[in-house]
Amino acid sequence: SKEFSRVKTTIVNSLKWVCQFGYEEMTIDMFYEELVELFDFIIETSLSAADNNDKSASTAAGAAKDESNRNNDAQQQQQQLHAKLNEENST
């Protein structure tokens, strides 16, 4: 989406921007790499969820099942994000 692209561009340019204010690239680089990886993960899971939503069924029973699947997918994605954040925080 357009918003993901805008934020991704900001993140990608952030290392150079921060270094302009006197921070050393080596000091910021590890945080920067984790930020880029985390944002890529968020984009991937969000786009995957959007693809699944686009494949919804046209019947009422199918729609209810799709809603249940979306809720399960959302929970699973939240758990994955939580695990990823904990993994990043432990480094």
Side-chain angles (χ1 to χ4, degrees):
S1 88
K2 190 186 289 188
E3 191 64 14
F4 278 140
S5 295
R6 185 187 70 76
V7 174
K8 177 73 175 191
T9 299
T10 301
I11 289 172
V12 167
N13 294 329
S14 67
L15 183 61
K16 290 178 185 175
W17 183 80
V18 169
C19 291
Q20 289 177 354
F21 292 95
Y23 290 94
E24 292 196 23
E25 186 172 337
M26 266 180 54
T27 305
I28 304 298
D29 195 50
M30 189 166 101
F31 169 76
Y32 170 78
E33 287 177 8
E34 290 177 4
L35 177 63
V36 170
E37 287 176 21
L38 183 61
F39 192 71
D40 287 342
F41 175 79
I42 290 170
I43 290 173
E44 180 183 314
T45 56
S46 297
L47 293 177
S48 172
D51 285 345
N52 289 339
N53 289 343
D54 289 343
K55 298 175 185 173
S56 61
S58 58
T59 66
K65 184 177 180 183
D66 285 345
E67 181 66 25
S68 176
N69 287 342
R70 279 194 295 276
N71 289 338
N72 288 339
D73 288 346
Q75 276 186 322
Q76 185 178 23
Q77 290 166 355
Q78 288 173 351
Q79 289 171 348
Q80 289 173 335
L81 180 57
H82 184 264
K84 185 91 172 146
L85 287 169
N86 282 337
E87 174 187 312
E88 299 297 339
N89 286 330
S90 69
T91 351

